[in-house]
Amino acid sequence: MGRGSGYGKRGINRIESIRPSVCRLHPFIHILQFIQLRTVRRMAASNPRFTDALRSAANAAGQWDRVVNHKFTSELASGEIDRNVLKNYLIQDHRFLDAFTSLLGALICKARCLEDRIPACQFAALITSDENTYFLRCFEKLGCADAKEREAVPSAACTTGFIDLMSEVATTGTLGEILSVLVVCEWSYLTWGARVAPTANRDHFECYEWVDLHSGDGFTGVVNYLRGLLDKEGELVDEEGRAKCKIRFLQAVQLEIQFFDNAYAK
């Protein structure tokens, strides 16, 4: 799920191809490019990669494809998504910022060296910046600009479940468990974002900007960074540690499915 204040938990790409409403994020593009440059070497991690093995486990359970090919993503990219569905989704998604930021903070605290911490620090600054106004502009467009009215909407079970998972892992989880949840959040969105971006309808900012935020070189750099750290953990921890990562990865993927499904709940 894209979690955060305007990036959700995500990135942005191809600044020259993005419309002016997204270009307000331009001051932060260099951060994502920096993350990408620092993590190119991580793409040559262990073969087979631990993250690939985790995704294969999710595929074996029929989960991963359900996330990345969910009808929500296709309807969003086409611009034909029911606006009440989109409103439901964004109201719930906006509630993840605090828990997601705490999870990034836990990564920063438990990372094994300064080099591993720096990109996470910069990504945290990116997603919490006041310049990231996607949600606020969408709430205005979708007729739910009043914060008190949005707060009156109950949190869905999957929203509460995801917040609880992030909070639990941030508080008591290992570095591998923290990374497993973060990788699902970012990698699953990059996968569907890359799939729909080439044909995304550019007529409605509330649709195409969410696609832009989850595709392209910048966001790919963020995902490569997180995957690289988790691949490294897979090599360093024992079998019990890898099993914990798998449990958290599968939990997060299942919650992503439920979150997309919940957008259509009446």
Side-chain angles (χ1 to χ4, degrees):
M1 62 193 91
R3 321 295 179 272
S5 64
Y7 269 69
K9 46 187 181 63
R10 320 292 178 179
I12 195 169
N13 74 306
R14 298 190 305 271
I15 191 66
E16 67 276 9
S17 69
I18 298 173
R19 294 190 177 186
S21 56
V22 183
C23 286
R24 70 191 67 210
L25 300 174
H26 183 270
F28 305 99
I29 299 306
H30 72 282
I31 295 177
L32 290 173
Q33 291 172 336
F34 177 79
I35 292 173
Q36 184 181 21
L37 287 172
R38 289 176 68 93
T39 58
V40 166
R41 67 184 180 280
R42 296 198 186 281
M43 296 178 67
S46 59
N47 188 16
R49 299 178 65 170
F50 182 49
T51 50
D52 284 333
L54 293 174
R55 181 179 60 179
S56 294
N59 270 331
Q63 293 179 310
W64 188 263
D65 284 345
R66 288 180 62 192
V67 175
V68 302
N69 295 307
H70 198 282
K71 68 176 182 177
F72 179 94
T73 65
S74 298
E75 291 178 358
L76 180 74
S78 70
E80 297 175 355
I81 193 167
D82 185 293
R83 293 312 189 259
N84 285 326
V85 169
L86 182 57
K87 180 169 70 173
N88 290 342
Y89 170 90
L90 291 176
I91 287 174
Q92 298 292 322
D93 194 275
H94 192 245
R95 296 177 180 175
F96 290 109
L97 179 60
D98 183 57
F100 187 78
T101 304
S102 295
L103 192 59
L104 274 178
L107 167 58
I108 293 166
C109 287
K110 294 189 177 182
R112 292 181 179 270
C113 62
L114 178 62
E115 182 183 22
D116 290 348
R117 295 185 217 281
I118 291 174
C121 293
Q122 293 171 322
F123 189 43
L126 185 70
I127 65 172
T128 56
S129 168
D130 289 340
E131 295 294 324
N132 297 331
T133 61
Y134 170 79
F135 279 100
L136 297 180
R137 288 180 288 117
C138 284
F139 291 151
E140 183 73 30
K141 178 74 176 292
L142 298 171
C144 53
D146 189 314
K148 291 184 178 179
E149 290 184 9
R150 295 196 307 273
E151 290 169 2
V153 176
S155 291
C158 55
T159 304
T160 302
F162 225 133
I163 291 173
D164 288 347
L165 175 63
M166 291 181 189
S167 299
E168 178 184 349
V169 170
T171 303
T172 64
T174 65
L175 176 58
E177 289 177 285
I178 291 166
L179 286 164
S180 294
V181 176
L182 286 170
V183 165
V184 170
C185 291
E186 305 308 296
W187 191 17
S188 65
Y189 268 61
L190 174 64
T191 305
W192 71 253
R195 177 178 64 83
V196 303
T199 58
N201 183 300
R202 309 294 298 182
D203 292 335
H204 310 284
F205 82 85
E206 66 272 24
C207 297
Y208 72 76
E209 284 193 22
W210 199 238
V211 175
D212 289 341
L213 291 167
H214 301 100
S215 57
D217 292 343
F219 188 50
T220 298
V222 173
V223 173
N224 286 340
Y225 157 69
L226 293 171
R227 286 188 65 194
L229 292 184
L230 185 51
D231 287 334
K232 183 168 73 172
E233 281 305 295
E235 294 178 342
L236 294 175
V237 301
D238 58 15
E239 191 59 38
E240 181 182 359
R242 288 189 288 273
K244 289 181 178 179
C245 291
K246 180 179 177 181
I247 290 171
R248 297 307 191 183
F249 192 95
L250 295 178
Q251 285 178 323
V253 175
Q254 184 59 37
L255 284 165
E256 293 284 13
I257 296 169
Q258 294 171 1
F259 195 79
F260 277 146
D261 287 346
N262 180 75
Y264 293 85
K266 302 297 184 181

